[in-house]
Amino acid sequence: MAVSGAVLVLFLIGHMVGNLKIFLGADDFNHYAHWLRTMGEPAVPRRTLLTILEVVISVAVVLHIWSAVSLGKRARAARPVKYQARKKSHAQGYAVHTMRYGGVIILLFVIWHLLDLTFLVVNPKGDGFTPYERVVADFDASRWYITVWYVLAVLLVGLHLRHGVWSAFNSLGWRTPRNDRTLRGLAFAVAGVVTLGFVSVPLSVTFGWVS
Ligand code: HEM
């Protein structure tokens, strides 16, 4: 869970930083999108490194979901009879719900997002346009509901990250009573930076700061 999660966190940070290039203008953003496909050239053919990256991310997503399901099953098997005396605390119930249902919604979002900006099936500008034009058309003010969908999905990604990063610290045995607050703060900071970085792009297009 933690290893696949770490790969996904690194991807998210890289993707978020790459997206911020939109604030440098169309040329920089399109150049970055082009570089993603040509990195490693001429040592390796076009798209080789990107394809390796895509395989690594896909394997990480599958392993992450598989670990979540099997850990859930193991937890239930270890305690076949539910506790009677002590109900789950509000915080425990909240974490399980955000991780489980949030995770499913994030997966649905990623499928939509791939159909939108990678396979261009649901994007207003398809093939023949630049990545910059596609992002700007996607989050146009007239399509505010797409921006709302992206922002809500990214907020869920943020909640998932905050709990996931903190859980990973815990599982790795790094948490002690003394550093608990620091680790919680670190998880909050990572999640906060990733969330703000991602939402800044659709919001800036919708509000006309990027056009
Ligand atoms: C909210 C702001 C976001 C924007 C503006 C955005 C933009 C983009 C764009 C333009 C691409 C296509 C890149 C290219 O082919 O050149 C892309 C691909 C992708 N995005 Fe996002 N993204 C956002 C958030 C996210 C989030 C939150 C996730 C994951 C939870 C995500 C996962 C992916 C994946 C998996 C790909 C495919 C990468 C590949 O083809 O190798 N994105 N995104």
Side-chain angles (χ1 to χ4, degrees):
M1 192 91 227
V3 172
S4 56
V7 170
L8 295 172
V9 172
L10 289 180
F11 162 73
L12 280 176
I13 294 173
H15 185 27
M16 183 275 287
V17 171
N19 282 353
L20 294 181
K21 288 211 173 277
I22 203 144
F23 296 108
L24 299 177
D27 285 347
D28 279 74
F29 189 71
N30 292 331
H31 183 251
Y32 164 68
H34 178 74
W35 171 80
L36 283 176
R37 288 156 182 79
T38 53
M39 56 184 165
E41 264 188 357
V44 290
R46 192 184 154 86
R47 253 195 152 278
T48 306
L49 292 189
L50 182 62
T51 306
I52 294 174
L53 230 128
E54 287 169 347
V55 171
V56 171
I57 298 165
S58 308
V59 170
V61 169
V62 171
L63 287 181
H64 203 66
I65 297 170
W66 177 79
S67 311
V69 172
S70 53
L71 280 176
K73 272 191 195 157
R74 203 195 297 173
R76 273 192 299 278
R79 195 193 45 181
V81 180
K82 280 195 172 179
Y83 285 132
Q84 291 290 315
R86 187 179 152 270
K87 281 180 75 176
K88 266 187 192 155
S89 74
H90 180 69
Q92 269 173 314
Y94 167 81
V96 169
H97 278 82
T98 20
M99 297 315 270
R100 189 177 296 166
Y101 302 113
V104 172
I105 298 172
I106 292 168
L107 182 65
L108 293 177
F109 163 74
V110 171
I111 294 170
W112 169 272
H113 182 50
L114 290 177
L115 290 174
D116 183 9
L117 286 162
T118 299
F119 300 113
L120 316 178
V121 180
V122 294
N123 189 270
K125 307 248 187 216
D127 238 356
F129 289 89
T130 63
Y132 184 90
E133 286 169 323
R134 288 183 206 125
V135 171
V136 168
D138 213 10
F139 303 120
D140 185 82
S142 63
R143 287 164 53 88
W144 58 269
Y145 46 92
I146 298 291
T147 301
V148 170
W149 165 220
Y150 267 75
V151 169
L152 290 179
V154 169
L155 289 178
L156 276 180
V157 171
L159 289 176
H160 201 89
L161 264 183
R162 189 180 65 156
H163 183 76
V165 170
W166 182 79
S167 272
F169 289 151
N170 216 0
S171 310
L172 291 167
W174 292 356
R175 192 175 143 225
T176 63
R178 275 189 64 193
N179 68 13
D180 184 62
R181 274 173 65 100
T182 314
L183 292 187
R184 274 179 202 276
L186 202 61
F188 182 82
V190 171
V193 168
V194 168
T195 305
L196 288 177
F198 270 127
V199 296
S200 67
V201 175
L203 288 178
S204 298
V205 174
T206 305
F207 286 107
W209 303 320
V210 168
S211 56

